[in-house]
């Protein structure tokens, strides 16, 4: 179903690495005596997959299974808990999966077709605001047929549905442990993935150990992994240098990446892996706010923001300017914001405001989270404030909160303008447009656009995902006209690790999620 054109478009996401060590030529067996310790600044917001459409997926991928997944090196969905999956009708509206035999959750309970139906149905029933139900807009019905067959009946053609089933949002859960009509809130987690969760301390650490009942594609190269959560990257880098952790995953600042790449005594025994990323950063404008609701205000901001200066000042070459919501390396990428607004121009921004009768400085509050996207977020927003204040047209106030509070605030529509990051659910242009539009989107700010919805519908009828550029070029043109979202930059992925650790170059999947089972200690050189 997914041809070479689509694979080439997505290939930029798969294991394109510049490697200093990290065991590229090492084929040593895992050393199970000591857990691999991974540090990250991205802690889960919830332990229940039905409630998360965010960085919580980092944990889910390693403790839950999905019907399909993305093994290292693959940019199209491959069977995981499923033995096979396919569309069984010519209109791409009926999708059917057959489970592997003898699947079990880590507690020994059977994972059958009924458990799969329960897992997907509860996402729709609970319908958390800004949660993963936003991915299931085309799903009409899930039917369990016998113990091993699951049939998904879609309300419309959707060639991206296999990709959606491969996201950690569609993690399979035990019906005996996860209520059908509410989020699990006992602080526990149980799945059928490569690892089971041995213990969890919110905001501190998750201890994983091999799940003896696991039956899936992952080739686990270690027996146990501990994930430590840090409030800031400085503490994480210090822990790496002190050998308190073995690997970093997400959150390094540009300064830290550059410093770790230098050949200095304090970096002895460390390595850095750089990979092409598809993560993006952007601003969201809340249409319920009196100032943010005005299109001329949004257009003036788009006319002023200097992405080149932002990237140079804050990210120092570890990111690049982004002029569309679809990043480089994905089919359908354009430079639509640059094509419309050109280089930053304060005079043009002033004309936009004056033509709308706005003669006084516009006061706005920009919100960002302190502990989700790394320590560079605060300097990034300080630079945005500097640019807009310096224009004389805006007066920007900056405010921030930890992720959980921040998330609750934007879902409740409390912020006039706020910053978000996006790590792809799957490597397809649909995933950089569809999650942000519609009434039930990932941002908690309804964005009704019938024409974008029409373009998405047309594109989803096309199984050749490399042939959908026309639809996404039009969708991105509409995004520019509305300026409800303002793309800022596209990042690169960096993993810093001890030279004792092998497998880093294989650890990031096409969703840029770390598959910790690839990490292991070298037993010899």
């Amino acid at each position: 179903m997914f041809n070479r054109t689509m694979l080439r478009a997505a290939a930029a996401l798969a294991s394109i690495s510049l490697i200093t060590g990290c065991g590229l030529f090492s084929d040593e067996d895992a050393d199970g005596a000591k857990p691999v310790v991974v540090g990250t600044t991205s802690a889960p917001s919830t332990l229940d997959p039905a409630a998360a459409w965010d960085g919580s997926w980092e944990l889910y991928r390693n403790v839950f299974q999905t019907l399909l997944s993305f093994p290292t090196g693959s940019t199209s969905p491959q069977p995981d808990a499923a033995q096979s999956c396919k569309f069984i009708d010519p209109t791409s509206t009926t999708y059917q999966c057959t489970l592997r035999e003898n699947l079990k959750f880590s507690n020994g309970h059977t994972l059958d077709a009924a458990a799969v139906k329960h897992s997907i149905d509860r996402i729709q029933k609970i319908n958390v605001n800004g949660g993963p139900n936003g991915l299931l807009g085309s799903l009409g019905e899930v039917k369990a047929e016998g113990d091993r067959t699951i049939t998904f009946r879609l309300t419309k053609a959707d060639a991206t549905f296999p990709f959606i089933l491969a996201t950690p949002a569609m993690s399979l859960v035990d019906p005996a442990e996860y209520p059908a009509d509410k989020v699990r809130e006992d602080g526990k987690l149980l799945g059928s993935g490569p690892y089971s969760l041995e213990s969890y301390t919110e905001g501190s650490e998750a201890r994983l150990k091999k799940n003896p009942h696991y039956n899936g594609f992952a080739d686990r190269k270690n027996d146990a992994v501990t994930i430590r959560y840090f409030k800031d990257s400085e503490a994480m880098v210090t822990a790496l240098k002190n050998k308190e952790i073995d690997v970093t995953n997400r959150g390094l600042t540009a300064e830290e990446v550059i410093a770790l790449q230098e050949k200095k005594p304090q970096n002895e025994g460390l390595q850095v892996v750089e990979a092409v990323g598809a993560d993006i950063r952007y601003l969201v404008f809340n249409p319920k706010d009196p100032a943010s609701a005005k299109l001329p205000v949004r257009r003036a901001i788009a006319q002023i923001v200097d992405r080149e200066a932002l990237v140079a000042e804050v990210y120092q070459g570890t990111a690049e300017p982004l002029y569309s919501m679809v990043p480089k390396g994905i089919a359908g990428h354009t430079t639509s914001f640059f094509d419309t607004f050109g280089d930053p121009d304060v005079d043009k921004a002033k004309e936009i405001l004056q033509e709308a009768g706005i003669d006084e400085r516009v006061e706005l509050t920009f919100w960002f989270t302190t502990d989700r996207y790394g320590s560079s977020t605060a300097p990034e927003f300080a630079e945005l404030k500097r640019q807009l204040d310096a224009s004389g047209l805006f007066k920007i106030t900056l405010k921030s909160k930890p992720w959980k509070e921040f998330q609750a605030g934007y879902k409740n529509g409390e912020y006039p303008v706020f910053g978000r990051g996006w790590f792809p659910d799957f490597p397809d242009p649909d995933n950089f447009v569809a999650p942000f539009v519609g009434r039930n989107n990932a941002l908690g700010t309804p964005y009704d656009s019938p024409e974008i919805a029409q373009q998405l519908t047309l594109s989803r009828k096309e199984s050749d995902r490399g042939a959908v550029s026309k639809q996404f070029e039009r969708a991105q043109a509409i995004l520019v006209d509305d300026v409800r979202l303002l793309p800022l930059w596209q990042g690169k992925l960096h993993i810093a690790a001890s030279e004792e650790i092998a497998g880093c170059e294989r650890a990031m999947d096409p969703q840029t999620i770390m598959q910790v089972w690839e990490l292991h200690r070298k037993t010899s050189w």
Side-chain angles (χ1 to χ4, degrees):
M1 182 174 68
F2 304 102
N3 67 14
R4 291 183 180 179
T5 305
M6 189 282 295
L7 293 178
R8 286 196 298 270
L13 297 176
S15 301
I16 305 174
S17 302
L18 302 174
I19 306 201
T20 310
C22 215
L24 181 60
F25 304 106
S26 173
D27 59 355
E28 295 85 350
D29 294 329
D31 175 8
K34 184 180 178 183
V36 174
V37 183
V38 177
T40 180
T41 60
S42 181
S45 62
T46 173
L47 295 186
D48 191 330
W53 195 352
D54 59 25
S56 304
W57 289 10
E58 294 280 354
L59 180 61
Y60 300 167
R61 173 57 76 210
N62 294 286
V63 295
F64 290 107
Q65 272 185 295
T66 43
L67 288 170
L68 300 162
S69 192
F70 292 98
T72 299
S74 171
T75 52
S76 60
Q78 303 296 320
D80 184 5
Q83 177 178 296
S84 63
C85 290
K86 63 182 179 179
F87 281 105
I88 59 172
D89 69 325
T91 61
S92 297
T93 57
T94 306
Y95 195 72
Q96 191 172 84
C97 293
T98 301
L99 292 175
R100 295 175 185 259
E101 294 182 351
N102 302 317
L103 288 173
K104 294 182 183 296
F105 292 101
S106 60
N107 60 1
H109 292 180
T110 298
L111 196 175
D112 56 11
V116 175
K117 174 177 170 57
H118 172 86
S119 301
I120 307 301
D121 282 350
R122 69 189 295 268
I123 294 172
Q124 293 189 305
K125 187 168 186 177
I126 296 171
N127 192 22
V128 171
N129 184 26
N133 191 33
L135 288 166
L136 295 174
S138 64
L139 179 61
E141 178 188 16
V142 185
K143 186 176 181 181
E145 302 179 27
D147 291 336
R148 295 178 55 209
T149 302
I150 308 97
T151 302
F152 300 90
R153 302 196 184 279
L154 310 182
T155 59
K156 52 193 173 185
D158 187 358
T160 71
F161 191 70
F163 288 87
I164 292 167
L165 289 180
T167 69
M170 304 299 130
S171 294
L172 305 179
V173 300
D174 183 354
E177 298 279 345
Y178 289 82
D181 57 355
K182 62 181 181 180
V183 174
R184 182 176 184 176
E185 296 179 339
D186 61 0
K188 297 180 180 179
L189 181 156
L190 185 141
S192 61
Y195 300 89
S196 58
L197 184 64
E198 189 173 27
S199 67
Y200 179 76
T201 304
E202 185 175 356
S204 179
E205 73 172 20
R207 291 181 177 268
L208 312 181
K209 63 178 180 180
K210 261 188 179 179
N211 173 12
H213 297 291
Y214 175 64
N215 178 11
F217 76 90
D219 179 13
R220 295 167 293 182
K221 295 180 173 62
N222 60 63
D223 292 329
V225 175
T226 296
I227 303 173
R228 287 188 56 192
Y229 302 111
F230 292 86
K231 295 294 184 183
D232 59 69
S233 58
E234 183 179 358
M236 181 170 66
V237 171
T238 299
L240 177 67
K241 291 181 176 181
N242 291 340
K243 298 187 176 181
E244 297 167 6
I245 64 174
D246 300 304
V247 184
T248 67
N249 176 33
R250 301 211 188 281
L252 293 176
T253 66
E255 292 85 358
E256 287 162 346
V257 170
I258 292 168
L260 287 166
Q261 289 173 329
E262 294 177 350
K263 293 184 178 181
K264 292 183 176 180
Q266 59 265 39
N267 295 334
E268 187 175 351
L270 300 179
Q271 55 179 314
V272 177
V273 175
E274 179 183 294
V276 174
D279 60 307
I280 66 173
R281 297 293 185 276
Y282 56 97
L283 294 178
V284 183
F285 294 94
N286 184 352
K288 295 181 180 179
D289 178 78
S292 189
K294 297 176 181 177
L295 178 58
V297 169
R298 304 196 300 269
R299 289 181 60 82
I301 292 174
Q303 187 65 70
I304 293 170
V305 168
D306 188 338
R307 295 168 178 82
E308 295 280 356
L310 177 67
V311 168
E313 179 69 24
V314 180
Y315 292 99
Q316 301 178 40
T318 62
E320 57 183 314
L322 181 65
Y323 295 96
S324 75
M325 290 300 290
V326 179
K328 290 181 180 178
I330 299 292
H333 167 72
T334 69
T335 56
S336 49
F337 272 88
F338 183 83
D339 298 341
T340 299
F341 294 100
D343 292 322
D345 192 318
V346 172
D347 290 335
K348 287 183 180 179
K350 187 175 182 179
E351 289 178 12
I352 292 170
L353 293 174
Q354 287 180 338
E355 288 176 3
I358 302 172
D359 298 316
E360 296 183 356
R361 292 182 73 170
V362 178
E363 296 188 13
L364 276 171
T365 301
F366 281 26
W367 285 83
F368 62 93
T369 179
T370 58
D371 58 353
R372 172 59 56 172
Y373 306 122
S375 302
S376 294
T377 307
E380 175 182 336
F381 274 77
E383 173 62 15
L384 289 171
K385 171 181 166 60
R386 185 197 66 76
Q387 293 180 11
L388 291 166
D389 285 354
S391 72
L393 303 176
F394 291 91
K395 183 178 180 181
I396 305 299
T397 300
L398 298 182
K399 291 188 178 181
S400 60
K401 286 183 178 180
W403 175 250
K404 276 198 170 183
E405 297 174 51
F406 175 80
Q407 189 179 39
Y410 75 68
K411 287 182 179 180
N412 290 330
E414 297 174 6
Y415 308 148
V417 184
F418 58 95
R420 282 295 311 270
W422 185 251
F423 301 98
D425 301 325
F426 49 85
D428 188 274
D430 188 281
N431 194 233
F432 292 91
V433 176
F436 312 126
V437 297
R439 299 204 61 79
N440 185 27
N441 64 43
L443 303 172
T445 54
Y447 179 10
D448 291 323
S449 176
E451 189 175 354
I452 290 180
Q454 181 185 34
Q455 297 302 321
L456 290 171
T457 297
L458 290 172
S459 74
R460 288 170 178 174
K461 293 179 180 178
E462 179 57 71
S463 60
D464 178 358
R465 302 308 293 162
V468 295
S469 294
K470 182 178 179 181
Q471 289 88 356
F472 284 101
E473 286 172 6
R474 178 57 192 149
Q476 290 174 86
I478 298 167
L479 290 174
V480 172
D481 291 341
D482 293 344
V483 200
R484 286 283 305 276
L485 308 166
L486 185 65
L488 297 173
W489 56 267
Q490 174 179 351
K492 300 176 183 178
L493 298 176
H494 293 92
I495 299 173
S498 163
E499 288 184 346
E500 296 177 0
I501 300 299
C504 300
E505 76 286 347
R506 292 181 55 82
M508 302 304 289
D509 75 1
Q511 298 162 299
T512 69
I513 293 174
M514 181 172 278
Q515 301 175 140
V516 299
W517 59 80
E518 294 285 357
L519 304 172
H520 60 283
R521 298 185 187 281
K522 300 173 184 177
T523 56
S524 62
W525 287 93

